[in-house]
Amino acid sequence: MTRIVIVGGVAGGASAAARARRMSEDAEIIMIDRGPYISFANCGLPYHIGGDIQSRDALLLQTPESFKRRFNVDVRLHTEAVAIDRETKQLQVRDTQTDATDTLSYDTLILSPGAAPFVPSIANIDDSRIQTLRNIPDMDRILRELEQQQPTHATVVGGGFIGLEAAEAMRQRGLDVSLVELSSQVMAPVDPEMATPLHKELEDHGVDLRLNAGLTEIEPQQDKLTLTLSDGAKLDTGLVVLAIGVRPETALAKSAGLAVAERGGIQVDSQMRTNDPDILAVGDAVEIVEWVTDKAKLIPLAGPANRQGRIAADNAVGKQRHFGKTQGTAVCRVFGLTVASTGMNEKQLTQADIKFRKVYVHPMDHASYFPGAAQISLKLLFCPDSGKIYGAQAVGAKGVDKRIDVLAVAQRAGMTVFDLEELELCYAPPYGSAKDPVNLAGFVAANEIRGEADLLYPEQLTSIQSHQQLLDVRTPAELERVGQFDGAINISVDELRDRLGELDKETEYWVTCQVGLRGHVAYRMLVNSGFKAKNLTGGFKSWQMWKGCRQPQPIVTEGE
């Protein structure tokens, strides 16, 4: 009888255990975890704190008893893996409650140790009012602090997924909240301009957003904590939630001589095997191949971890399954907005020295004439030659997840921006438009590759030359209401054809409108009439988002 021992539960380990049993009724399956829970919804923790998920029990997906009944898996909680003897294929374990030790023999060992929250080395960081949020006990400790100490102010350190969700949860509980982020933006998977709506949403919901600031000192007092930030500011708070990031748990793997990559994750092949063929590893502790670059990367997400667990289980029972590359597709709610992304962002493409082009579109999530339509801002990154999709990001009140999911599937299927033009997506006025936002992004990108459009990016507007002229084709009323560019001339698109005689064919016109559509119409009118022109992708809306990155922006004047 084959014995499969799995270290760690949750997404990777629990999925591996259940899949292994479905594939083999004969295997002996033992799953251990050093904590008190084997399978819980860690992504739901902030939502229980904030009250969206009322029942704590709803987060407990499986218990040792339910796993035994359904899958005949021997689950051992409070059991820590201490050492691996690869020669004898023995796993040394320790009971965390009694300190008793034991050994487990294995035929195949699957490691799913996960990742631990990063905790900075700062004096007084172990104060009970400073917590992380990674598992059920963490959540329970935060709730206990809230109930017993009843703080009126909380500080969240870190503006990633957990930090944003924790900040929202604390506001939902009625606390004043400060969000401290070391970089110049929240939500690192998206580019800076795509994060600016999130900054406004946080501030509109009463969050004191502190960008470009890190936590450097903690001074405990009887009724509060005084925090010192890297920008010199001080904050008085009653509770701190650390959400700075995670580090893969690799101590067990390292001590056993398993290969660990430069970024700190366990090295595995496409079958999830380590450099020991009888030891597989899955989840947040492993490095997996990224879709665009074919390079190994740490991507701690539940979806990939679940699939890796399934593949590791199949290979543990004799099958030959392979895990494909990962796109890092992710989504997050920030109060009334949703932000989502897939593939690589502009920062990563630039760092990898990959040539790319980008387009912005800002359509409504469904037909604008049907009540309740909300704007989506979508950024698409692609190869300037082939149109291969490199990545996409979107932010808006509704319909964001749907569009990023479509683009994630398109990227995985090897589609190009030309294929996006042809996608047939659902349309009825309450749900979409005849030209879906995904189609529109494909239209704009394909137009540029074909030479039917020459696009400008918002950041280029700061370097306009004397032979170039901004031409704003919105109506005067829009300029007054929304804002305008200093130095731009204004001729509305509907008047442009009759006023071409006012323009100079020696000048290159940089055309802009509100979201780029009328700008494209004007651009085509100009080039078809012998003028030199470029069109600002995404129009004034994209410029506003880029301007919100807190850089010096000298050429825009906001209207009342």
Side-chain angles (χ1 to χ4, degrees):
M1 179 184 294
T2 297
R3 174 181 275 190
I4 301 170
V5 176
I6 301 169
V7 177
V10 198
S15 296
R19 176 70 175 181
R21 174 58 69 221
R22 290 195 296 270
M23 293 297 101
S24 172
E25 195 61 34
D26 298 327
E28 180 185 6
I29 305 170
I30 301 173
M31 181 165 54
I32 69 169
D33 196 286
R34 65 188 175 194
Y37 304 99
I38 196 63
S39 181
F40 61 90
N42 54 355
C43 295
L45 302 177
Y47 298 108
H48 178 58
I49 293 174
D52 291 296
I53 300 172
Q54 292 289 319
S55 172
R56 179 181 180 278
D57 290 345
L59 301 174
L60 305 177
L61 306 179
Q62 292 282 357
T63 65
E65 294 75 22
S66 66
F67 240 93
K68 181 67 174 178
R69 285 194 304 269
R70 180 165 296 179
F71 298 112
N72 191 27
V73 171
D74 180 4
V75 176
R76 306 181 187 183
L77 299 178
H78 305 289
T79 304
E80 180 182 17
V82 177
I84 303 168
D85 187 329
R86 291 166 54 190
E87 278 195 31
T88 63
K89 300 178 74 170
Q90 297 275 334
L91 177 69
Q92 183 180 351
V93 298
R94 179 181 71 88
D95 188 311
T96 60
Q97 294 179 313
T98 66
D99 214 31
T101 60
D102 196 3
T103 57
L104 289 173
S105 62
Y106 64 85
D107 295 299
T108 300
L109 180 64
I110 300 177
L111 302 179
S112 181
F118 173 73
V119 178
S121 298
I122 301 175
N124 303 311
I125 197 72
D126 56 352
D127 189 286
S128 64
R129 293 166 289 185
I130 301 172
Q131 299 290 338
T132 58
L133 183 55
R134 185 68 178 171
N135 52 39
I136 294 281
D138 289 344
M139 180 189 73
D140 290 342
R141 283 191 291 269
I142 290 172
L143 288 172
R144 188 160 54 248
E145 284 293 322
L146 290 170
E147 291 163 6
Q148 293 179 356
Q149 304 301 324
Q150 296 189 347
T152 59
H153 186 280
T155 299
V156 178
V157 183
F161 294 95
I162 296 173
L164 291 170
E165 291 163 355
E168 181 179 0
M170 294 301 170
R171 286 298 293 144
Q172 287 176 322
R173 293 185 68 95
L175 278 73
D176 292 329
V177 175
S178 293
L179 176 59
V180 176
E181 168 56 47
L182 186 59
S183 76
S184 61
Q185 67 168 95
V186 300
M187 191 51 63
V190 304
D191 289 312
E193 74 278 16
M194 301 300 290
T196 55
L198 305 179
H199 299 163
K200 184 177 186 302
E201 185 74 3
L202 288 162
E203 291 171 341
D204 286 349
H205 283 81
V207 175
D208 170 31
L209 181 60
R210 306 290 187 100
L211 299 176
N212 302 298
L215 178 62
T216 59
E217 294 181 24
I218 302 166
E219 181 186 349
Q221 300 179 44
Q222 184 173 357
D223 60 343
K224 64 183 179 181
L225 297 164
T226 298
L227 311 179
T228 302
L229 307 184
S230 58
D231 61 3
K234 290 188 179 291
L235 275 175
D236 289 334
T237 193
L239 176 70
V240 175
V241 179
L242 297 175
I244 303 173
V246 296
R247 288 180 171 174
E249 294 263 29
T250 57
L252 179 67
K254 286 179 179 178
S255 66
L258 300 180
V260 175
E262 183 179 347
R263 289 179 174 268
I266 301 171
Q267 287 186 333
V268 293
D269 63 15
S270 63
Q271 290 189 314
M272 309 311 299
R273 296 188 190 278
T274 67
N275 55 307
D276 184 325
D278 295 318
I279 303 178
L280 296 88
V282 302
D284 293 354
V286 306
E287 296 197 7
I288 47 182
V289 177
E290 190 275 326
W291 187 265
V292 176
T293 62
D294 283 331
K295 293 182 179 179
K297 188 176 180 181
L298 285 166
I299 301 182
L301 294 171
N306 186 295
R307 294 189 294 277
Q308 292 160 23
R310 289 169 53 86
I311 287 169
D314 282 358
N315 293 326
V317 298
K319 296 182 179 295
Q320 298 293 318
R321 291 282 309 283
H322 296 268
F323 180 78
K325 298 180 289 185
T326 187
Q327 299 157 270
T329 308
V331 65
C332 183
R333 187 184 79 181
V334 183
F335 294 100
L337 290 181
T338 298
V339 59
S341 64
T342 191
M344 295 187 79
N345 59 39
E346 182 174 347
K347 295 171 292 187
Q348 294 164 337
L349 290 168
T350 301
Q351 186 175 13
D353 198 25
I354 296 173
K355 292 182 179 179
F356 65 93
R357 293 294 284 172
K358 60 185 178 182
V359 298
Y360 300 91
V361 294
H362 306 281
M364 295 297 178
D365 73 300
H366 63 250
S368 58
Y369 57 82
F370 191 88
Q375 190 173 51
I376 294 174
S377 292
L378 191 154
K379 179 179 184 179
L380 179 67
L381 299 145
F382 57 95
C383 174
D385 301 316
S386 67
K388 177 182 177 181
I389 299 168
Y390 287 153
Q393 305 155 40
V395 61
K398 297 188 301 176
V400 167
D401 53 338
K402 170 183 174 180
R403 274 64 189 208
I404 292 299
D405 279 344
V406 169
L407 288 164
V409 172
Q411 183 182 46
R412 184 163 288 268
M415 292 181 176
T416 67
V417 298
F418 304 106
D419 296 307
L420 300 184
E421 295 182 289
E422 304 297 329
L423 289 183
E424 293 190 28
L425 303 174
C426 289
Y427 164 55
Y431 302 105
S433 299
K435 297 176 182 177
D436 190 84
V438 173
N439 298 131
L440 290 176
F443 293 155
V444 179
N447 278 345
E448 185 180 45
I449 295 177
R450 294 190 188 106
E452 297 166 3
D454 193 352
L455 297 179
L456 285 165
Y457 298 149
E459 59 268 28
Q460 293 176 270
L461 298 190
T462 59
S463 58
I464 191 166
Q465 303 297 310
S466 59
H467 66 283
Q468 297 159 335
Q469 173 64 56
L470 277 173
L471 172 60
D472 197 323
V473 298
R474 294 175 293 167
T475 66
E478 283 180 272
L479 305 188
E480 185 69 25
R481 184 178 69 254
V482 180
Q484 55 190 301
F485 296 99
D486 282 351
I489 60 173
N490 175 225
I491 304 175
S492 69
V493 67
D494 294 332
E495 298 176 355
L496 182 60
R497 184 174 285 104
D498 295 331
R499 296 177 60 182
L500 289 176
E502 301 175 23
L503 304 181
D504 178 8
K505 289 194 175 180
E506 297 303 313
T507 298
E508 180 181 80
Y509 290 97
W510 286 12
V511 184
T512 181
C513 63
Q514 184 60 29
V515 296
L517 177 57
R518 285 171 293 172
H520 178 66
V521 173
Y523 163 83
R524 292 304 309 169
M525 193 184 303
L526 289 169
V527 297
N528 287 341
S529 301
F531 291 88
K532 293 174 287 187
K534 296 178 183 289
N535 182 33
L536 176 62
T537 178
F540 191 74
K541 176 68 175 179
S542 293
W543 165 254
Q544 285 181 307
M545 292 172 66
W546 185 80
K547 179 173 62 72
C549 299
R550 301 192 181 183
Q551 304 174 41
Q553 309 296 343
I555 69 167
V556 69
T557 301
E558 294 292 339
E560 293 296 320

